Amino acid sequence: MKNMFDRLKLMEDRFDELSELLSQMEIINDIKKFTALAKEQSRLSKTVDKFRLWKDLTTSQNDLNEMLADNDPEIKAMAEMELSEVKEKLVVLEAEITLLLVPKDPNDEKNVIVEIRGAAGGDEANIFAGDLFRMYTKYSEHKGWKIEILNAMESSMGGFSQIEFMIKGDDVFSYMKYESGAHRVQRVPETEAMGRVHTSTSTVLVMPEAEEIDFELNMNELRFDTFCSSGPGGQSVNTTKSAVRVTHEPSGLSVSCQEGKSQHENKDKAIMLLKTRMYDKIVSERTSEEDQKRRSLIGKGDRSEKVRTYNYPQNRVTDHRINLTVQRLDDIINGKLDLIIEPLVNEDQKQKLLGES
């Protein structure tokens, strides 16, 4: 516990220092700095609260141990009973603190932007992309999160060839980050006359929302183009150029948005989407460097990695990263995604704990 205590004491000292800094007028007047420090304090608060409770219980344990030497049998019996309870609480608390000390992803508390694309399998892949979008929509409803569509290219047979949307809420990235990769579906398509099972693939990319404190985007490096919104098959759905494409000229990175009601709204959403893509690129490059030292069992999170298979005839979902199979596809596709995500979170924490030790 010595090394753990030292780490916790440093965190407690930093928490107190942040409390003092956040009361200073020069910090309060600097919104960017105030926001960054407030977020840092928020990340520390749960661990510091547990540490302070641990210290109180440890003090109680020491006092009760002294009471065991008392000559009064009643006092001694009471001390033994209370000491047993305190020890049980300390065991649970130390396990909770150990998990809290697992290195945190600084993006875990952020909103996310998700992109789903139909990949191998033509129309069936696009239909499955629509199924995945509905699954994430229902999962978000269970979690109390909100969804906002940023850009969508509907498929003529149903679903989407591509859809981008934002999910807003508490700790969204900490759950959704495990969804990036290739999702494979095995089922009989509605267009299949012979009743044969086909395999199709849709890809999912989950990016933490870029915020002002992450990096600054030079607006002078952006080119804006406008065009008419399109529907299934690419046909124009209106005559006004309300859709917006934003290109970051130095990198060539380009995004489009057509879901807003006006050109101004689409421009704002496109800039947000571009910033998020650029931030995701920065994070991916940084993670790639760190992965040379230590790779997570949960995976790289890139688009090419096969992460999950949804087998409809057998009502089965398999997550290939942790060899988990659940015979409840109907529940999972209807939003009960924690059946898969919670084991992924637990395995990720386990691997990080092993890495730390």
Side-chain angles (χ1 to χ4, degrees):
M1 188 68 189
K2 177 66 169 62
N3 290 339
M4 185 185 289
F5 181 88
D6 291 341
R7 287 180 64 187
L8 291 165
K9 188 68 178 71
L10 287 172
M11 293 171 78
E12 184 181 40
D13 291 343
R14 177 58 178 167
F15 182 87
D16 291 337
E17 181 187 7
L18 288 167
S19 296
E20 188 176 328
L21 287 170
L22 289 168
S23 67
Q24 296 175 6
M25 286 307 300
E26 60 183 284
I27 300 294
I28 294 171
N29 292 330
D30 187 337
I31 296 175
K32 193 172 181 179
K33 194 166 187 177
F34 182 87
T35 302
L37 294 178
K39 286 196 169 188
E40 183 185 353
Q41 189 185 50
S42 177
R43 285 194 294 270
L44 290 172
S45 62
K46 190 172 182 180
T47 306
V48 171
D49 287 344
K50 296 281 187 185
F51 177 49
R52 287 172 174 169
L53 178 57
W54 177 86
K55 287 194 294 183
D56 290 342
L57 286 172
T58 302
T59 300
S60 296
Q61 181 178 240
N62 293 335
D63 293 342
L64 289 166
N65 278 325
E66 289 180 9
M67 289 172 65
L68 289 177
D70 197 287
N71 293 326
D72 188 325
E74 289 187 8
I75 292 178
K76 188 174 181 178
M78 183 184 68
E80 286 177 347
M81 185 175 65
E82 290 187 17
L83 184 61
S84 177
E85 293 177 1
V86 168
K87 284 181 177 179
E88 286 179 10
K89 288 179 181 178
L90 280 170
V91 169
V92 173
L93 193 57
E94 286 175 12
E96 291 174 347
I97 290 173
T98 300
L99 280 179
L100 287 170
L101 289 176
V102 172
K104 294 289 190 299
D105 186 328
N107 293 313
D108 274 353
E109 298 173 358
K110 292 187 176 182
N111 299 326
V112 301
I113 289 178
V114 183
E115 177 196 276
I116 306 174
R117 290 176 182 260
D123 289 333
E124 174 63 11
N126 294 338
I127 292 169
F128 182 52
D131 293 337
L132 290 175
F133 172 65
R134 283 188 290 276
M135 178 180 74
Y136 294 134
T137 299
K138 291 179 180 179
Y139 181 56
S140 297
E141 289 173 359
H142 292 321
K143 290 287 188 183
W145 300 337
K146 301 296 183 185
I147 280 188
E148 177 185 355
I149 297 176
L150 302 176
N151 193 43
M153 297 175 64
E154 296 181 18
S155 172
S156 57
M157 296 297 292
F160 303 94
S161 58
Q162 179 179 339
I163 183 168
E164 291 154 311
F165 55 97
M166 171 174 276
I167 307 179
K168 299 179 180 179
D170 294 332
D171 303 321
V172 181
F173 188 71
S174 68
Y175 294 94
M176 286 296 298
K177 63 184 175 184
Y178 302 103
E179 294 305 295
S180 285
H183 293 241
R184 187 174 65 175
V185 62
Q186 295 173 329
R187 64 184 175 190
V188 179
E190 292 180 10
T191 54
E192 170 57 55
M194 303 297 291
R196 292 172 297 189
V197 174
H198 286 222
T199 298
S200 305
T201 303
S202 295
T203 60
V204 176
L205 178 63
V206 178
M207 300 169 286
E209 180 190 12
E211 300 175 351
E212 291 297 329
I213 60 175
D214 293 324
F215 76 101
E216 291 187 12
L217 182 64
N218 187 345
M219 299 298 287
N220 294 324
E221 296 177 343
L222 305 183
R223 185 181 76 246
F224 296 90
D225 300 298
T226 58
F227 57 97
C228 295
S229 300
S230 60
Q235 73 268 27
S236 177
V237 295
N238 63 29
T239 56
T240 59
K241 293 186 176 182
S242 60
V244 176
R245 181 183 299 107
V246 182
T247 304
H248 181 245
E249 294 192 317
S251 66
L253 191 62
S254 178
V255 301
S256 300
C257 186
Q258 64 175 27
E259 295 301 309
K261 296 178 180 178
S262 66
Q263 188 180 114
H264 179 74
E265 186 179 344
N266 282 326
K267 180 180 177 182
D268 288 344
K269 288 183 177 181
I271 291 172
M272 177 187 63
L273 182 55
L274 179 67
K275 286 177 66 176
T276 296
R277 286 193 175 277
M278 293 180 68
Y279 178 61
D280 182 64
K281 187 171 184 293
I282 293 169
V283 171
S284 297
E285 289 171 352
R286 187 187 307 147
T287 303
S288 180
E289 292 172 5
E290 293 170 354
D291 279 353
Q292 300 302 318
K293 303 172 186 175
R294 183 180 70 190
R295 298 297 293 268
S296 169
L297 178 69
I298 300 305
K300 304 182 291 296
D302 61 44
R303 195 189 296 275
S304 63
E305 181 186 18
K306 183 179 75 174
V307 295
R308 200 173 295 149
T309 295
Y310 305 73
N311 185 298
Y312 275 74
Q314 299 178 23
N315 196 36
R316 183 185 75 221
V317 178
T318 299
D319 195 286
H320 304 288
R321 294 162 293 183
I322 56 174
N323 296 319
L324 172 70
T325 295
V326 181
Q327 302 286 158
R328 294 177 62 181
L329 184 150
D330 50 346
D331 288 330
I332 290 166
I333 210 71
N334 279 306
K336 294 184 179 178
L337 196 51
D338 275 333
L339 290 168
I340 297 288
I341 290 181
E342 285 184 358
L344 284 165
V345 171
N346 293 336
E347 186 61 36
D348 199 14
Q349 288 178 336
K350 176 183 172 184
Q351 292 300 316
K352 286 175 179 175
L353 277 172
L354 289 172
E356 283 290 291
S357 59

